[in-house]
């Protein structure tokens, strides 16, 4: 299943067209994408299996928003690809380095990224994000993928100056409004060739700057779910960004930060692509 948020309404995304889920189901399913993720996921999958009817609407003429607009938690992971650990000179931590991106930072797959005035160290980080579909505590790695509703492409946009100036606390530098583009849809794992090995890339204004595979993650999705759920109960709709591969702007020579007018294209194999323009970056 590919569940998108078409201008605030839950919709199936099929070949670049959106099909309104409430209409398709004759009102059996809610229009709120968050309610579908949290309470009606399996019913939605059953409707997906029946196939869509009608033409739908071209996705580029509706405003696609974040498929999970109001998650209870947005976790993110620092230093989770070896290439990124090397380029930043960071040690791989003993436990996953979890921080949060606050809900206010959530942005859609085509939304503008708004750089804060006067900041010239705004950076891109292409990431695979997973969405929890089934609640759980103390989830075993072997059961972890059963708790995942699906994947999204994500950007962990980061103001490096604010991130670094706060010591070991990253969250504010990564939580400016618009700093967490997600989408284009929540893609269930049965749509993917191998959920643990997908190509991930980031282009900025056409230049390929990150190019890796999620099989290079130091802690892949099952291990992250086992760790997170050893601490707290994961709830349906919770989102986790799994870390970024090598190639971020701050670690390049010369450094390459985002500028006004840059277009960030973030792509995950089988999941889809985000296209976000930078405004006053
Ligand atoms: Zn990140």
């Amino acid at each position: 299943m590919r569940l998108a948020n078409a201008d605030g309404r839950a919709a199936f995304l099929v070949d670049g067209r959106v099909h309104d889920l409430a209409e398709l189901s004759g009102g059996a399913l809610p229009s709120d994408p968050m309610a579908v993720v949290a309470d009606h996921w399996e019913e939605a999958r059953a409707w997906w299996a029946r196939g869509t009817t009608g033409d739908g609407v071209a996705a580029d003429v509706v405003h696609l928003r974040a498929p999970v607009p109001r998650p209870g938690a947005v976790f993110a992971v620092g230093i989770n690809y070896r290439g990124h650990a090397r380029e930043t000179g960071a040690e791989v931590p003993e436990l996953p380095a979890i921080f949060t991106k606050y809900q206010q930072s959530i942005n859609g797959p085509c939304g503008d990224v708004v750089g804060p005035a006067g900041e010239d160290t705004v950076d891109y980080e292409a990431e695979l994000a997973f969405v929890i579909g089934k609640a759980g505590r103390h989830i075993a790695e072997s059961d972890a993928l059963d708790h995942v509703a699906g994947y999204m492409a994500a950007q962990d946009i980061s103001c490096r100056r604010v991130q670094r100036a706060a010591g070991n606390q990253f969250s504010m530098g990564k939580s400016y409004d618009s700093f967490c583009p997600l989408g284009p849809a929540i893609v269930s794992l049965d749509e993917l060739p191998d959920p643990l090995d997908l190509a991930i890339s980031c282009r900025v204004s056409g230049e390929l700057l990150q190019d890796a595979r999620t099989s290079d993650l130091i802690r892949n999705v099952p291990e992250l779910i086992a760790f997170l759920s050893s601490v707290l109960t994961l709830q349906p709709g919770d989102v986790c960004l799994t870390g970024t591969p090598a190639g971020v702007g701050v670690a390049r020579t010369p450094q390459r930060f985002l500028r006004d007018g840059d277009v960030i294209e973030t792509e995950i194999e089988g999941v889809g692509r985000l296209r976000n323009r930078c405004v006053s970056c």
Side-chain angles (χ1 to χ4, degrees):
M1 178 165 66
R2 293 173 184 269
L3 186 79
N5 176 347
D7 211 9
R9 296 177 64 88
F12 289 150
L13 182 61
V14 183
D15 297 331
R17 301 185 76 83
V18 293
H19 299 258
D20 189 278
L21 190 52
E23 279 178 26
L24 203 64
S25 66
L29 291 176
S31 61
D32 177 5
M34 207 65 229
V36 175
V37 176
D39 302 318
H40 299 274
W41 189 254
E42 291 306 321
E43 293 154 81
R45 282 174 63 92
W47 280 99
W48 172 268
R50 289 183 206 186
T52 51
T53 54
D55 292 339
V57 180
D60 52 8
V61 305
V62 291
H63 187 71
L64 283 186
R65 301 186 191 176
V68 189
R70 301 181 308 280
V74 184
F75 306 103
V77 189
I79 310 300
N80 203 22
Y81 284 86
R82 288 187 202 287
H84 182 55
R86 266 195 303 277
E87 72 178 356
T88 56
E91 297 266 317
V92 175
E94 194 180 326
L95 291 174
I98 306 290
F99 59 94
T100 192
K101 286 173 85 73
Y102 291 96
Q103 195 190 101
Q104 291 87 337
S105 65
I106 287 177
N107 196 352
C110 318
D112 288 349
V113 167
V114 182
E119 297 291 353
D120 57 4
T121 61
V122 178
D123 207 348
Y124 51 87
E125 294 191 353
E127 308 209 3
L128 170 73
F130 62 82
V131 184
I132 293 295
K134 188 167 85 177
R137 180 89 202 274
H138 301 301
I139 299 166
E141 279 183 44
S142 55
D143 298 330
L145 293 184
D146 295 338
H147 289 259
V148 174
Y151 286 170
M152 302 180 290
Q155 261 296 334
D156 177 17
I157 304 287
S158 307
C159 177
R160 300 300 187 196
R161 186 190 69 80
V162 172
Q163 177 187 345
R164 297 282 159 75
N168 290 327
Q169 180 48 260
F170 291 180
S171 296
M172 292 312 287
K174 288 167 172 278
S175 286
Y176 284 85
D177 281 8
S178 80
F179 270 25
C180 189
L182 299 172
I186 306 168
V187 177
S188 59
L189 304 190
D190 55 344
E191 296 279 316
L192 303 170
D194 177 352
L196 299 180
D197 182 20
L198 300 168
I200 174 170
S201 67
C202 180
R203 285 182 163 76
V204 178
S205 295
E207 188 182 355
L208 181 65
L209 297 175
Q210 293 186 285
D211 188 16
R213 301 197 67 83
T214 61
S215 50
D216 296 334
L217 279 163
I218 297 169
R219 276 113 179 179
N220 212 323
V221 174
E223 203 173 337
L224 293 172
I225 289 175
F227 174 68
L228 287 165
S229 71
S230 74
V231 175
L232 44 75
T233 303
L234 291 172
Q235 299 287 0
D238 286 351
V239 171
C240 179
L241 283 67
T242 56
T244 200
V248 298
V250 70
R252 305 185 82 87
T253 310
Q255 292 182 323
R256 170 56 165 109
F257 292 115
L258 295 169
R259 299 186 282 261
D260 195 12
D262 272 338
V263 174
I264 314 161
E265 291 174 291
T266 312
E267 187 159 11
I268 310 258
E269 176 187 7
V271 175
R273 186 190 300 173
L274 314 174
R275 191 173 187 283
N276 302 93
R277 194 168 55 103
C278 299
V279 178
S280 298
C281 276

